[in-house]
Amino acid sequence: MQDKFNENQENSRRRPTKNSRRFAIIATLVFLVMVMGAGLGFITASIHTMPSLKGDIRPAVSSQIFDANGKLITTIHSVENRLPASINKVPKNLQHAFIATEDARFYQHSGVDPRGILRAVWSNLTDKGISEGGSTITQQLARNALLSQDQTIKRKIQEAFLSLQIERQYSKEEILEMYMNHIYFGQGAYGVQTAAQVYFGKNVEDLNLAECAMIAGIPKSPNYYSPTSNLKAAKERQGVVLEQMVKYGYIDSLSAAKARATEIKLAARPKTATAPAAYFTDYVIQVLIDKYGADAVYKDGLKVYTTLDLEMQNKAEEAMKKLPTMKTDENGIKQPQGALVAIEPHNGHIKAMVGGRGNDQFNRAVLAERQPGSAFKPFVYLAAIESGFTPASIIADSPVSFGGWSPVNYDRSFHGSVTMRTALEQSLNVVAVKLAQQAGIDKTLYYAQQMGISTLVLDGNTNDRNLAMSLGGLTRGVTPLEIASAYGVLANSGIRVEPTAIVKVIDRNGKVIEEYVPKEKIVVNERSAFLLTDMLKGVMTNGTGTGAYFGRPAAGKTGTTSDYKDAWFVGFTPDLVAAVWLGCDNPDYLNGITGGTVPASIWKSFMSGVADKYVARDFVKPSGIIAARVSNKDGLLVNDPNNKDGRSEIFVEGTQPTKVSTVPASKDSKDNKDGKGKDGKNTNNDSTAAGEQTLPPPPARGDNTTIAPPPPPKPNDGKKN
């Protein structure tokens, strides 16, 4: 009896559970039906509102570019430079290059390739780059010819259905022909025939394999891979295309190798009148095309509001007229060339940009990767400060060898024991190398990368993980834009803000499609940034950069490569950072020009010209920094009873020590006995003589081990057209 009662009780408990499950299943089914209905409705609406295959009925409208004050800089006209070519005249190598690179299954799919989409999705999830994307050639044709570049679900649905229609209506050969005649190749060139003439001065049917591979590589990012703007990047992209052609059996490895070795002869570039801020507007157009596509830029009537200040731009162009002329090269370009870029460090706004003398299209401010020389040393000193060194730390400027390499100073002499401040002011090479070894090579590279240098090579047989990098001997080099942005971190108290040229983009209907929001990241301790900034102020008042001093609180660093092929001055105030580079395109020699001469003079001229834009102020000292005076004679602090005549003020972090150093000088410097150089002058103007062994070890802060930096960021190749 009791058992039966218990069974009834259990059954009564089960019934609500079964009913709940049944209700949940029904509710889920209803929800799925509603979602499917809404989805089908959305798809149906998207199909009904998509354009017909007869073409886009909207008239083309020119876009406009404005400066930071709303002044019109230039108008981008919608006239297309297009010469159609029959598929019969397009070389098979060029056809195969496009198919191998853009859509390897072009002849197998029906407009949309699920396998290609899955491959692209997997690549994005695993962050592994692939040579061809998820969009088919047919989809790219539909998007470029009939749709916008909006990254919306509606546009993607329309693109897919249009692609299916195109495949039913046209043959594969017709689709490929339309695609190659419609696609944008940079430099105002639409279609393969125009591209062949613009870049190589020949008809499309006359292109060789090397030229075909280069042409096919351009659409991935038309302005970045344009051979006339960036031949180095174009050659790298050409290699990728040839690898894809080998992979899919269109050519063999021997043919690919011969094509890589084939000399590329570009067509002579026509001389054009210099437009206002030409290099800057070209840069803005490149960014817009990579993001929205060429048709949006040239036909959709965009209003682009930029960060440029035309008055500051005019001052930059005026300052760059100080460039000397040593020769005119075979392309009619005056040499040496130069670049200047100025950025507001607190918001990343590019206020001025000069990419050369204005008689060519290569924007050196953005694209030229050149050796920075001593302009790279601040990253070494930052790593040292983060490892416990202070501006008053004593380092022996004495002979040293590393694996058979013996660094030397610019003046070919040694200066005895000096403070770290003096070593930076005088740009002593030996001290920089010793500091890099003590603080750690990877730590220096880590901070350089965190501050914005993306060109570092950290892997492979040839890389930057060596002591030569402390003197700016890099595998690739740096660009003026990136090194200016990196120095801006110091001006902005350790906060990095991504540089930008565009504030807002509005479409033809007045809709805001892009609005810039500063991307900020703390990458350096603010106290370390201040200490290094204070040392760099001394470069301009007491050191190699005095030629750049213009009467306001400013900090900066000169840079000169050992072979006199590159000269730099990079400097900043609390409100503006500017980088000036000088060098030949070849590169050729500068006949002894150093960073402290012409580049410093150009920097001073520009900064003086724009000074009234900003209120004069000094760098803000953060909490935790104390000031102390040390003797020029013996390195003792002023409050030490043995110190009689302290003069020089230094800043140190944390608790004030009783002495900087009292260790006798090392005996390994033959030319610096008693702290005197070869000329007999006293070189110990910051502290007592101290041997190399007095270098303090990195403190136990948790960062005293070698820091393995993350891999360099991938270059922004843009999106496929």
PDB file of all heavy atoms in Angstrom, residues 44-63:
ATOM      1  N   THR A  44      14.176  38.371 -48.913  1.00  0.00           N
ATOM      2  CA  THR A  44      13.274  38.755 -50.014  1.00  0.00           C
ATOM      3  C   THR A  44      13.347  40.254 -50.266  1.00  0.00           C
ATOM      4  O   THR A  44      13.431  40.709 -51.412  1.00  0.00           O
ATOM      5  CB  THR A  44      11.831  38.351 -49.675  1.00  0.00           C
ATOM      6  OG1 THR A  44      11.774  36.943 -49.453  1.00  0.00           O
ATOM      7  CG2 THR A  44      10.888  38.729 -50.812  1.00  0.00           C
ATOM      8  N   ALA A  45      13.342  41.038 -49.179  1.00  0.00           N
ATOM      9  CA  ALA A  45      13.429  42.492 -49.327  1.00  0.00           C
ATOM     10  C   ALA A  45      14.758  42.897 -49.941  1.00  0.00           C
ATOM     11  O   ALA A  45      14.822  43.808 -50.778  1.00  0.00           O
ATOM     12  CB  ALA A  45      13.246  43.159 -47.964  1.00  0.00           C
ATOM     13  N   SER A  46      15.839  42.225 -49.524  1.00  0.00           N
ATOM     14  CA  SER A  46      17.162  42.537 -50.070  1.00  0.00           C
ATOM     15  C   SER A  46      17.213  42.254 -51.556  1.00  0.00           C
ATOM     16  O   SER A  46      17.783  43.030 -52.336  1.00  0.00           O
ATOM     17  CB  SER A  46      18.235  41.720 -49.337  1.00  0.00           C
ATOM     18  OG  SER A  46      18.255  42.038 -47.964  1.00  0.00           O
ATOM     19  N   ILE A  47      16.598  41.132 -51.965  1.00  0.00           N
ATOM     20  CA  ILE A  47      16.596  40.767 -53.379  1.00  0.00           C
ATOM     21  C   ILE A  47      15.791  41.772 -54.187  1.00  0.00           C
ATOM     22  O   ILE A  47      16.190  42.196 -55.277  1.00  0.00           O
ATOM     23  CB  ILE A  47      16.039  39.342 -53.558  1.00  0.00           C
ATOM     24  CG1 ILE A  47      16.973  38.322 -52.898  1.00  0.00           C
ATOM     25  CG2 ILE A  47      15.856  39.011 -55.037  1.00  0.00           C
ATOM     26  CD1 ILE A  47      16.401  36.925 -52.860  1.00  0.00           C
ATOM     27  N   HIS A  48      14.651  42.183 -53.638  1.00  0.00           N
ATOM     28  CA  HIS A  48      13.770  43.095 -54.375  1.00  0.00           C
ATOM     29  C   HIS A  48      14.372  44.488 -54.506  1.00  0.00           C
ATOM     30  O   HIS A  48      14.025  45.223 -55.429  1.00  0.00           O
ATOM     31  CB  HIS A  48      12.410  43.180 -53.668  1.00  0.00           C
ATOM     32  CG  HIS A  48      11.562  41.960 -53.908  1.00  0.00           C
ATOM     33  ND1 HIS A  48      10.196  41.939 -53.691  1.00  0.00           N
ATOM     34  CD2 HIS A  48      11.875  40.722 -54.353  1.00  0.00           C
ATOM     35  CE1 HIS A  48       9.705  40.738 -53.993  1.00  0.00           C
ATOM     36  NE2 HIS A  48      10.731  39.977 -54.386  1.00  0.00           N
ATOM     37  N   THR A  49      15.217  44.860 -53.557  1.00  0.00           N
ATOM     38  CA  THR A  49      15.801  46.202 -53.596  1.00  0.00           C
ATOM     39  C   THR A  49      17.182  46.246 -54.234  1.00  0.00           C
ATOM     40  O   THR A  49      17.769  47.317 -54.332  1.00  0.00           O
ATOM     41  CB  THR A  49      15.912  46.772 -52.166  1.00  0.00           C
ATOM     42  OG1 THR A  49      16.701  45.889 -51.363  1.00  0.00           O
ATOM     43  CG2 THR A  49      14.529  46.933 -51.541  1.00  0.00           C
ATOM     44  N   MET A  50      17.698  45.111 -54.662  1.00  0.00           N
ATOM     45  CA  MET A  50      19.034  45.119 -55.266  1.00  0.00           C
ATOM     46  C   MET A  50      18.955  45.631 -56.703  1.00  0.00           C
ATOM     47  O   MET A  50      17.913  45.522 -57.364  1.00  0.00           O
ATOM     48  CB  MET A  50      19.650  43.719 -55.239  1.00  0.00           C
ATOM     49  CG  MET A  50      19.033  42.719 -56.175  1.00  0.00           C
ATOM     50  SD  MET A  50      19.812  41.077 -55.979  1.00  0.00           S
ATOM     51  CE  MET A  50      18.979  40.158 -57.278  1.00  0.00           C
ATOM     52  N   PRO A  51      20.030  46.222 -57.185  1.00  0.00           N
ATOM     53  CA  PRO A  51      20.026  46.770 -58.550  1.00  0.00           C
ATOM     54  C   PRO A  51      19.945  45.666 -59.593  1.00  0.00           C
ATOM     55  O   PRO A  51      20.271  44.512 -59.332  1.00  0.00           O
ATOM     56  CB  PRO A  51      21.363  47.511 -58.630  1.00  0.00           C
ATOM     57  CG  PRO A  51      22.223  46.844 -57.611  1.00  0.00           C
ATOM     58  CD  PRO A  51      21.311  46.420 -56.510  1.00  0.00           C
ATOM     59  N   SER A  52      19.506  46.062 -60.780  1.00  0.00           N
ATOM     60  CA  SER A  52      19.429  45.092 -61.872  1.00  0.00           C
ATOM     61  C   SER A  52      20.781  44.962 -62.532  1.00  0.00           C
ATOM     62  O   SER A  52      21.688  45.765 -62.306  1.00  0.00           O
ATOM     63  CB  SER A  52      18.395  45.553 -62.902  1.00  0.00           C
ATOM     64  OG  SER A  52      18.856  46.713 -63.569  1.00  0.00           O
ATOM     65  N   LEU A  53      20.909  43.982 -63.379  1.00  0.00           N
ATOM     66  CA  LEU A  53      22.172  43.769 -64.078  1.00  0.00           C
ATOM     67  C   LEU A  53      22.414  44.787 -65.184  1.00  0.00           C
ATOM     68  O   LEU A  53      23.463  44.781 -65.815  1.00  0.00           O
ATOM     69  CB  LEU A  53      22.198  42.353 -64.666  1.00  0.00           C
ATOM     70  CG  LEU A  53      22.273  41.213 -63.647  1.00  0.00           C
ATOM     71  CD1 LEU A  53      22.326  39.874 -64.370  1.00  0.00           C
ATOM     72  CD2 LEU A  53      23.472  41.361 -62.747  1.00  0.00           C
ATOM     73  N   LYS A  54      21.447  45.661 -65.413  1.00  0.00           N
ATOM     74  CA  LYS A  54      21.618  46.646 -66.473  1.00  0.00           C
ATOM     75  C   LYS A  54      22.587  47.759 -66.057  1.00  0.00           C
ATOM     76  O   LYS A  54      23.003  48.559 -66.864  1.00  0.00           O
ATOM     77  CB  LYS A  54      20.259  47.258 -66.837  1.00  0.00           C
ATOM     78  CG  LYS A  54      19.312  46.248 -67.472  1.00  0.00           C
ATOM     79  CD  LYS A  54      17.993  46.904 -67.835  1.00  0.00           C
ATOM     80  CE  LYS A  54      17.035  45.897 -68.477  1.00  0.00           C
ATOM     81  NZ  LYS A  54      15.736  46.504 -68.830  1.00  0.00           N
ATOM     82  N   GLY A  55      22.908  47.791 -64.786  1.00  0.00           N
ATOM     83  CA  GLY A  55      23.903  48.764 -64.341  1.00  0.00           C
ATOM     84  C   GLY A  55      23.387  49.671 -63.252  1.00  0.00           C
ATOM     85  O   GLY A  55      22.196  49.690 -62.930  1.00  0.00           O
ATOM     86  N   ASP A  56      24.267  50.435 -62.675  1.00  0.00           N
ATOM     87  CA  ASP A  56      23.950  51.354 -61.599  1.00  0.00           C
ATOM     88  C   ASP A  56      23.401  52.635 -62.204  1.00  0.00           C
ATOM     89  O   ASP A  56      24.050  53.284 -63.025  1.00  0.00           O
ATOM     90  CB  ASP A  56      25.224  51.649 -60.805  1.00  0.00           C
ATOM     91  CG  ASP A  56      24.920  52.401 -59.515  1.00  0.00           C
ATOM     92  OD1 ASP A  56      23.782  52.880 -59.378  1.00  0.00           O
ATOM     93  OD2 ASP A  56      25.828  52.497 -58.677  1.00  0.00           O
ATOM     94  N   ILE A  57      22.179  53.037 -61.811  1.00  0.00           N
ATOM     95  CA  ILE A  57      21.530  54.194 -62.419  1.00  0.00           C
ATOM     96  C   ILE A  57      21.951  55.501 -61.751  1.00  0.00           C
ATOM     97  O   ILE A  57      21.638  56.570 -62.249  1.00  0.00           O
ATOM     98  CB  ILE A  57      19.996  54.065 -62.355  1.00  0.00           C
ATOM     99  CG1 ILE A  57      19.527  54.010 -60.892  1.00  0.00           C
ATOM    100  CG2 ILE A  57      19.521  52.850 -63.131  1.00  0.00           C
ATOM    101  CD1 ILE A  57      18.013  54.016 -60.742  1.00  0.00           C
ATOM    102  N   ARG A  58      22.658  55.411 -60.618  1.00  0.00           N
ATOM    103  CA  ARG A  58      23.061  56.632 -59.948  1.00  0.00           C
ATOM    104  C   ARG A  58      24.196  57.309 -60.709  1.00  0.00           C
ATOM    105  O   ARG A  58      25.166  56.665 -61.092  1.00  0.00           O
ATOM    106  CB  ARG A  58      23.529  56.352 -58.520  1.00  0.00           C
ATOM    107  CG  ARG A  58      22.465  55.815 -57.599  1.00  0.00           C
ATOM    108  CD  ARG A  58      22.997  55.723 -56.182  1.00  0.00           C
ATOM    109  NE  ARG A  58      24.248  54.994 -56.111  1.00  0.00           N
ATOM    110  CZ  ARG A  58      25.015  54.948 -55.033  1.00  0.00           C
ATOM    111  NH1 ARG A  58      24.670  55.601 -53.949  1.00  0.00           N
ATOM    112  NH2 ARG A  58      26.138  54.245 -55.036  1.00  0.00           N
ATOM    113  N   PRO A  59      24.128  58.641 -60.931  1.00  0.00           N
ATOM    114  CA  PRO A  59      25.229  59.328 -61.604  1.00  0.00           C
ATOM    115  C   PRO A  59      26.437  59.416 -60.688  1.00  0.00           C
ATOM    116  O   PRO A  59      26.313  59.482 -59.462  1.00  0.00           O
ATOM    117  CB  PRO A  59      24.651  60.723 -61.882  1.00  0.00           C
ATOM    118  CG  PRO A  59      23.617  60.913 -60.809  1.00  0.00           C
ATOM    119  CD  PRO A  59      23.026  59.552 -60.576  1.00  0.00           C
ATOM    120  N   ALA A  60      27.625  59.392 -61.285  1.00  0.00           N
ATOM    121  CA  ALA A  60      28.853  59.503 -60.503  1.00  0.00           C
ATOM    122  C   ALA A  60      28.998  60.919 -59.962  1.00  0.00           C
ATOM    123  O   ALA A  60      28.705  61.893 -60.662  1.00  0.00           O
ATOM    124  CB  ALA A  60      30.048  59.136 -61.367  1.00  0.00           C
ATOM    125  N   VAL A  61      29.425  61.031 -58.703  1.00  0.00           N
ATOM    126  CA  VAL A  61      29.606  62.331 -58.060  1.00  0.00           C
ATOM    127  C   VAL A  61      31.016  62.398 -57.483  1.00  0.00           C
ATOM    128  O   VAL A  61      31.485  61.447 -56.856  1.00  0.00           O
ATOM    129  CB  VAL A  61      28.576  62.543 -56.925  1.00  0.00           C
ATOM    130  CG1 VAL A  61      28.804  63.889 -56.243  1.00  0.00           C
ATOM    131  CG2 VAL A  61      27.161  62.458 -57.468  1.00  0.00           C
ATOM    132  N   SER A  62      31.695  63.510 -57.692  1.00  0.00           N
ATOM    133  CA  SER A  62      33.056  63.669 -57.192  1.00  0.00           C
ATOM    134  C   SER A  62      33.061  63.788 -55.673  1.00  0.00           C
ATOM    135  O   SER A  62      32.132  64.325 -55.066  1.00  0.00           O
ATOM    136  CB  SER A  62      33.710  64.912 -57.799  1.00  0.00           C
ATOM    137  OG  SER A  62      33.816  64.785 -59.205  1.00  0.00           O
ATOM    138  N   SER A  63      34.125  63.293 -55.052  1.00  0.00           N
ATOM    139  CA  SER A  63      34.297  63.407 -53.609  1.00  0.00           C
ATOM    140  C   SER A  63      35.151  64.625 -53.293  1.00  0.00           C
ATOM    141  O   SER A  63      35.901  65.123 -54.136  1.00  0.00           O
ATOM    142  CB  SER A  63      34.949  62.143 -53.046  1.00  0.00           C
ATOM    143  OG  SER A  63      34.107  61.017 -53.197  1.00  0.00           O
TER     144      SER A  63
END
